[in-house]
Amino acid sequence: MKELSKQMANMQVSSVRKLTQHALAAEAAGKHVYRLNIGQPDLSVPQEYYDHIRAFDERTVEYMPSNGIPELLEAVSRYYREMDIDMGHENIAITTGGTEAVLFTLLALVDPGDEVIVMEPYYSNYNTYFTLTGVTPVAVTTYAENGFHFTKEQVEAKITDKTKAFWITNPGNPTGSVMTEEEIRIIADLAIEHDLYIVSDEVYREIVFDGRKMTSFGFLPEVYDRLIIIDSVSKRFSACGARIGVVMSKNEAFFAIVSKLCQGRLAVSTIEQHGAVGLYSTGTRVIHSIREEFERRRDVVFESLTKIPGLICKKPEGAFYMICKLPVEDATDFLIWMLKDFEDNGETVMAAPADGFYATEGLGKNEIRLAYVLEPEKLKRAIEILGKGLAAYQARK
Ligand SMILES: *Cc1c(COP(=O)(O)O)cnc(C)c1O
């Protein structure tokens, strides 16, 4: 047979799903597995989503306008207006999940060989699209010890002739860090000074804790000509399966390319767009309850983790993830061992190995990412099992 695509053969396997086969085997063997590996919230989807879908009674399911149905463009525009971010229908395109927004943004921005500057550890699924578009992610390494924050010097040192954009995730997945106003300023100023784009993935925008104010590059009109915002209903409304995302920009040349890409894939699901109108109609009600629920969970997880000897982590500031440094050499080996060889009363835990979230080879080997997407009682139990497992794993060696 002829060889398949070399470029795609080199694409990395999802670090979040890498251990799935071991989890399935553990479950087949009768173990209960607490899954903290994937960031899929378990909260109920707002009723309005189902109401809007049930109310759809067209005779056919037609292609809708490629940039999205007017009702949804209006709902998204209103949602932003209410937080003083001015994005009109002509600045918004609805996409099949935030993931397609990532793809279209890269396709519109880069040619192979261009660079984007990204803080590592970062959302590993970006790598799929970095590989696909041939862009080189240039990583600014951030550390658990200081909550994954960065300095101007660190970022500035990474700018080259090939840099096209800053690629920002705020709040951060997998770090749970929320950029300070100073960090936002650093990126904005460097982008203006060096004529770079800012791509800001803000799918966790409202999930910020301890009374922190929500931050967004959308609050800075002086960068509007170079700003692209990526968003999604997945995390904000617990609706990952709806597959509705958003890409927004006031840069007309950028938006014209995105519109062509939207036309090329014809349209986004008609029914799901109606469901999403229902989601946005909930205003801030759902958003507030989600923030409170995850703050409660963050507290439970963090408090339980502090009881585990040798484990290093900082209290997350937002989103629903955290990175923990473990007192082991190889976190992947430990996680597989937890699934294959460990149980406590018939139960065990699965997390994601963190090395896949780093672009720099060798980093994150002793780290894991936890997604605290279970009820507090279950989380408490899961972290207890993690602690027992770590002790048993170390005793074994
Ligand atoms: C989940 C996630 C997305 C996009 O998810 P979709 O379900 O495709 O909308 C984008 N960025 C980050 C950082 C995420 O965690």
Side-chain angles (χ1 to χ4, degrees):
M1 301 281 262
K2 292 255 193 199
E3 212 184 328
L4 300 174
S5 158
K6 286 184 204 60
Q7 192 189 358
M8 293 307 122
N10 289 333
M11 197 134 89
Q12 113 187 14
V13 184
S14 161
S15 51
V16 171
R17 294 189 167 81
K18 207 154 83 178
L19 305 183
T20 301
Q21 45 157 333
H22 298 286
L24 292 174
E27 281 162 349
K31 277 188 219 178
H32 175 71
V33 180
Y34 290 95
R35 289 171 183 253
L36 305 180
N37 59 309
I38 196 159
Q40 167 141 282
D42 61 328
L43 307 177
S44 304
V45 179
Q47 184 58 37
E48 286 87 341
Y49 169 76
Y50 300 104
D51 292 344
H52 277 250
I53 287 178
R54 289 199 183 101
F56 179 85
D57 71 346
E58 302 294 322
R59 196 175 57 81
T60 57
V61 184
E62 295 178 359
Y63 290 127
M64 291 290 115
S66 15
N67 282 7
I69 61 173
E71 299 93 311
L72 184 52
L73 294 176
E74 178 49 29
V76 171
S77 177
R78 189 177 345 105
Y79 158 82
Y80 279 96
R81 263 199 318 273
E82 277 166 11
M83 54 187 146
D84 284 330
I85 298 176
D86 170 35
M87 290 286 168
H89 294 207
E90 69 285 5
N91 309 122
I92 303 172
I94 306 300
T95 53
T96 301
T99 324
E100 192 181 61
V102 168
L103 170 64
F104 285 1
T105 297
L106 282 168
L107 286 172
L109 273 189
V110 303
D111 286 308
D114 286 346
E115 298 174 353
V116 293
I117 296 178
V118 55
M119 316 303 154
E120 70 177 353
Y122 62 82
Y123 176 53
S124 55
N125 197 35
Y126 291 148
N127 286 330
T128 307
Y129 301 101
F130 291 160
T131 306
L132 201 59
T133 54
V135 71
T136 306
V138 174
V140 174
T141 307
T142 62
Y143 299 91
E145 284 78 357
N146 74 344
F148 300 100
H149 290 281
F150 60 84
T151 63
K152 181 177 180 192
E153 292 66 38
Q154 267 183 297
V155 178
E156 199 163 26
K158 299 292 180 181
I159 299 174
T160 73
D161 292 347
K162 292 183 179 157
T163 312
K164 269 282 175 73
F166 292 112
W167 193 277
I168 305 290
T169 316
N170 181 45
N173 169 11
T175 57
S177 77
V178 177
M179 280 168 74
T180 60
E181 281 186 28
E182 195 191 337
E183 284 171 309
I184 298 233
R185 204 59 258 171
I186 289 170
I187 297 296
D189 290 344
L190 285 175
I192 293 168
E193 188 186 334
H194 296 269
D195 190 22
L196 303 173
Y197 293 94
I198 301 170
V199 179
S200 190
D201 179 339
E202 303 183 356
V203 305
Y204 300 98
R205 185 180 297 111
E206 291 94 350
I207 310 180
V208 293
F209 309 138
D210 308 312
R212 272 187 184 76
K213 266 197 280 174
M214 179 184 78
T215 56
S216 171
F217 280 94
F219 295 151
L220 307 180
E222 67 270 30
V223 297
Y224 272 14
D225 53 342
R226 58 186 71 253
L227 175 64
I228 295 134
I229 293 182
I230 289 171
D231 212 336
S232 164
V233 304
S234 289
K235 318 295 162 58
R236 178 167 310 127
F237 299 110
S238 272
C240 293
R243 312 307 308 132
I244 296 291
V246 172
V247 53
M248 295 191 303
S249 182
K250 283 188 180 288
N251 181 305
E252 286 174 23
F254 169 85
F255 202 81
I257 301 183
V258 166
S259 296
K260 279 196 281 186
L261 292 167
C262 287
Q263 287 162 18
R265 63 84 167 98
L266 306 182
V268 172
S269 160
T270 303
I271 311 264
E272 292 293 356
Q273 290 191 76
H274 283 283
V277 172
L279 292 174
Y280 279 103
S281 77
T282 58
T284 52
R285 184 191 87 221
V286 175
I287 291 168
H288 282 305
S289 71
I290 285 185
R291 176 192 301 165
E292 280 166 24
E293 180 60 25
F294 282 113
E295 183 156 349
R296 192 154 42 235
R297 293 171 178 201
R298 188 275 315 255
D299 290 343
V300 167
V301 167
F302 184 69
E303 174 166 345
S304 307
L305 285 170
T306 55
K307 295 183 188 136
I308 301 180
L311 181 146
I312 298 173
C313 63
K314 270 272 194 192
K315 200 173 199 176
E317 301 162 340
F320 38 69
Y321 306 98
M322 63 191 303
I323 293 270
C324 301
K325 229 173 232 182
L326 303 181
V328 303
E329 228 165 75
D330 182 343
T332 303
D333 183 68
F334 167 67
L335 290 171
I336 293 174
W337 179 87
M338 283 291 284
L339 292 167
K340 278 173 79 174
D341 301 317
F342 182 78
E343 63 170 278
D344 185 56
N345 270 330
E347 299 185 315
T348 191
V349 174
M350 169 163 164
D355 54 354
F357 296 100
Y358 288 84
T360 307
E361 195 65 40
L363 290 184
K365 279 235 165 314
N366 61 344
E367 298 177 7
I368 59 172
R369 184 193 73 170
L370 298 176
Y372 39 99
V373 289
L374 304 176
E375 290 152 30
E377 277 316 302
K378 290 183 185 165
L379 285 171
K380 213 178 209 168
R381 172 67 182 141
I383 304 302
E384 181 193 18
I385 295 169
L386 181 71
K388 286 186 176 181
L390 258 181
Y393 182 78
Q394 287 168 306
R396 181 199 65 134
K397 292 219 146 167

